Amino acid sequence: MLYLAKTMKTKLLLISILMVGSHNAFCNFFGFERMDERYALEDMRIQTGTYPFPLIFHYRQGGDDSKKSEFRIKDTSLTFDNLPSNIQGILQSRNIPVADIQIFEAFAKLEEVDCNYFTHAWAMDIMIENRLAVVESGIFEAFNLQAVNGEIGINGLVPQTMSFHDKIYLSGNSARFHVNDVNQLVGGWFVSVYDPTHATNQANGNTEGQRLRAIVVKWTLIPSSWITAPQNCTAPELLPSPILTWKSGYVDETL
């Protein structure tokens, strides 16, 4: 679980409000309405400046020692036609309208070999109380990784329950995958489907108005050592360009 410190809320809320009108923050760039219009001010995404986007997460032992990998979104112009044919087929078989399929290319700084794919902030309608959301996820054309206990699909989708509780915790230790070689690039097409008819539990509240939708992210996970010392990269020809412009701070799609 991820502990979002209460003492940071006022500061982070101010940052969120200041950035809400920025193209790089919470506007239609993400396929959502403005954050301050879509979510209540007490929503975790507003309170902590958390994007409605999946996370490469490292659960560890839970509590405040869990962490997420920094990420950057490179390309927001991808369309359904850019997807591999097998992904297109799966999404079409689920009758998901193309307009409700978000597609991105993104990079993350790989922090650990044991990873989770957390979709809480993308899937959940509200994040102000105890919530559960069932999200099906899978990795296609995966390289340098393997699923743990079949918790995330490889060339298929596997349902996992994402939970958010007590207004500050993301859990549990699910949708796990393991990196084979932490010193090499990792990645694949990560596909997630949220079907509100599968979220039949009292903690998810009223699913009326929620819709069947999907998000596809072509993730490349970059060894953190490559970012701190690109000259030491073992395969310079594979060095992703975002390494050269990586900087701390908010997601920036202009890399």
Side-chain angles (χ1 to χ4, degrees):
M1 60 187 69
L2 170 63
Y3 175 66
L4 302 171
K6 293 182 179 178
T7 57
M8 292 291 289
K9 284 188 175 181
T10 301
K11 179 179 179 181
L12 288 168
L13 176 58
L14 177 60
I15 293 173
S16 299
I17 292 172
L18 288 174
M19 292 198 65
V20 104
S22 167
H23 179 63
N24 293 341
F26 304 131
C27 298
N28 289 329
F29 158 61
F30 284 108
F32 289 82
E33 298 297 326
R34 289 168 60 102
M35 287 281 281
D36 56 347
E37 295 174 357
R38 181 174 176 86
Y39 305 117
L41 286 179
E42 63 267 31
D43 191 290
M44 187 207 77
R45 286 160 290 207
I46 291 289
Q47 290 286 312
T48 64
T50 299
Y51 295 91
F53 198 77
L55 297 174
I56 303 298
F57 200 75
H58 309 288
Y59 190 87
R60 294 181 177 175
Q61 299 300 312
D64 58 2
D65 70 340
S66 297
K67 66 185 300 185
K68 65 180 183 292
S69 287
E70 284 186 32
F71 67 94
R72 302 289 184 269
I73 296 173
K74 177 186 178 184
D75 198 340
T76 64
S77 63
L78 300 177
T79 69
F80 186 82
D81 292 337
N82 297 124
L83 298 177
S85 59
N86 54 345
I87 297 178
Q88 290 182 8
I90 285 180
L91 297 178
Q92 287 173 330
S93 72
R94 297 295 297 272
N95 296 316
I96 304 172
V98 172
D100 288 327
I101 301 172
Q102 297 173 277
I103 306 169
F104 301 94
E105 182 178 11
F107 294 84
K109 183 194 298 184
L110 182 65
E111 299 288 352
E112 299 182 11
V113 297
D114 293 313
C115 306
N116 307 80
Y117 196 52
F118 271 12
T119 53
H120 306 63
W122 169 76
M124 290 182 176
D125 58 339
I126 62 173
M127 299 183 75
I128 59 175
E129 57 191 55
N130 293 350
R131 310 293 283 173
L132 297 178
V134 178
V135 181
E136 300 167 72
S137 293
I139 311 170
F140 295 76
E141 300 184 5
F143 57 93
N144 194 19
L145 63 82
Q146 57 185 304
V148 175
N149 295 333
E151 293 178 10
I152 190 166
I154 300 296
N155 297 322
L157 302 179
V158 170
Q160 288 281 287
T161 299
M162 303 289 166
S163 62
F164 170 69
H165 59 94
D166 300 315
K167 300 183 180 181
I168 54 175
Y169 293 105
L170 300 180
S171 58
N173 190 16
S174 59
R176 292 182 293 169
F177 64 95
H178 178 81
V179 173
N180 297 327
D181 185 349
V182 74
N183 295 311
Q184 301 298 328
L185 293 174
V186 186
W189 292 88
F190 284 62
V191 180
S192 297
V193 173
Y194 174 70
D195 186 343
T197 66
H198 294 169
T200 53
N201 56 73
Q202 67 278 12
N204 202 52
N206 184 6
T207 59
E208 181 180 355
Q210 298 188 54
R211 68 190 189 282
L212 175 67
R213 54 197 173 91
I215 188 168
V216 182
V217 184
K218 185 180 182 182
W219 280 106
T220 301
L221 313 186
I222 305 170
S224 58
S225 61
W226 289 19
I227 294 175
T228 55
Q231 68 274 15
N232 295 332
C233 172
T234 58
E237 70 279 6
L238 298 178
L239 197 68
S241 59
I243 291 179
L244 305 177
T245 51
W246 195 280
K247 60 182 180 296
S248 299
Y250 292 92
V251 176
D252 184 347
E253 78 279 17
T254 63
L255 296 175

